[in-house]
Amino acid sequence: MTRDPYWNHNTQYHPWLLRQAPSGGSALDIGCGDGLLARKLAGPCASVLGVDLDGAILETAPTAANVEYRQGDFRELDGTFDYVTAVATVHHVPLAEGFAALRRLVAPGGVLAVVGLWKMSPRQDFHYLPLIPAIRVIDLLRGGKNDPQVVVRDADETLGQIRTAAREYLPGAAIRRRLMWRYTLLWRNV
C-alpha cells in the first residue's frame, strides 16, 4: 500500500478499520470525505460505496475500481452492507438516529466499525489527561499535512452516553477509548 497523502487523528485508525473488514462483500464508508478510506477498502471488499453530505469534497475524490461515491445522508440510504464504517461522523447527527441507521445498514452477519469522538469531561475522563502530552508529541511527529477541508464539529455526548445508546441500538458492541480523542466501536450483526 502506498503512503497516505496526509495523516490526522482519523487516518491514524485506518489500519484498525482495515483489519475489521471482511474479505469480499460490500462496504459502506459513511462520511467518506475525499474517499481515502473507501479506496483502501476496495482491496479487501468487492464493492465500496462512499457517502458524504459534502458534494464539494466528493468532487476531489479520485476514482478507483470497485468504489462509487454518492452525496447524501446515510440515515436515508436503502439496502444493507457486509461492512459499514463511520469515521468522525456519528457525532454530526443525533446519537439515537445515527445508531439506529447504522444498525439498519449492516447486513445480517455483517460488521460495523466506528471511529468516533466523544465530549471529554475532566471529571469523567481524568485518567485520559496524562495522555495529552503524548498525543501532542505524536501530532508534532506525524503532522497533518494536506488534510482535506471538511466540516468539523465537536461531540456533544460523553463516552458514557455513547455506551448507553450503543447498549440499546447495538447490543454487544465493543467500545474502547483510544488516543487522539477517539473511541472505536465494533459490532457484529448476529
Side-chain angles (χ1 to χ4, degrees):
M1 186 179 304
T2 61
R3 187 170 168 89
D4 289 344
Y6 55 87
W7 176 90
N8 59 39
H9 291 184
N10 297 323
T11 63
Q12 171 74 19
Y13 293 98
H14 283 187
W16 178 83
L17 291 160
L18 291 168
R19 285 193 303 273
Q20 311 314 314
S23 185
S26 59
L28 170 64
D29 182 21
I30 297 169
C32 69
D34 67 352
L36 182 61
L37 177 60
R39 292 189 306 278
K40 291 177 183 180
L41 289 171
C45 300
S47 64
V48 180
L49 173 61
V51 175
D52 203 294
L53 280 174
D54 185 349
I57 193 72
L58 285 173
E59 289 179 14
T60 70
T63 59
N66 306 347
V67 179
E68 174 192 346
Y69 300 109
R70 187 181 306 163
Q71 183 178 3
D73 186 327
F74 75 96
R75 295 171 294 174
E76 299 171 1
L77 286 177
D78 291 324
T80 60
F81 301 82
D82 301 307
Y83 186 50
V84 176
T85 63
V87 179
T89 303
V90 176
H91 70 283
H92 287 264
V93 301
L95 191 57
E97 283 181 33
F99 279 177
L102 291 172
R103 180 183 62 208
R104 179 180 49 76
L105 291 166
V106 179
V111 175
L112 168 66
V114 173
V115 175
L117 287 75
W118 83 91
K119 180 181 181 179
M120 270 194 74
S121 159
R123 186 173 184 196
Q124 294 176 344
D125 300 306
F126 67 92
H127 52 286
Y128 193 83
L129 297 176
L131 299 174
I132 292 174
I135 294 168
R136 295 290 184 219
V137 168
I138 293 169
D139 282 346
L140 290 171
L141 293 175
R142 297 295 307 262
K145 297 197 175 34
N146 303 318
D147 278 3
Q149 297 301 307
V150 296
V151 176
V152 295
R153 180 180 187 281
D154 290 332
D156 292 327
E157 295 85 16
T158 66
L159 197 54
Q161 291 169 318
I162 293 164
R163 288 181 194 278
T164 298
R167 277 193 295 276
E168 180 177 348
Y169 292 96
L170 305 166
I175 299 175
R176 290 189 55 199
R177 181 188 328 258
R178 303 285 187 147
L179 284 177
M180 314 296 171
W181 296 278
R182 300 297 185 266
Y183 69 88
T184 57
L185 179 151
L186 186 64
W187 180 72
R188 297 182 193 287
N189 187 6
V190 291

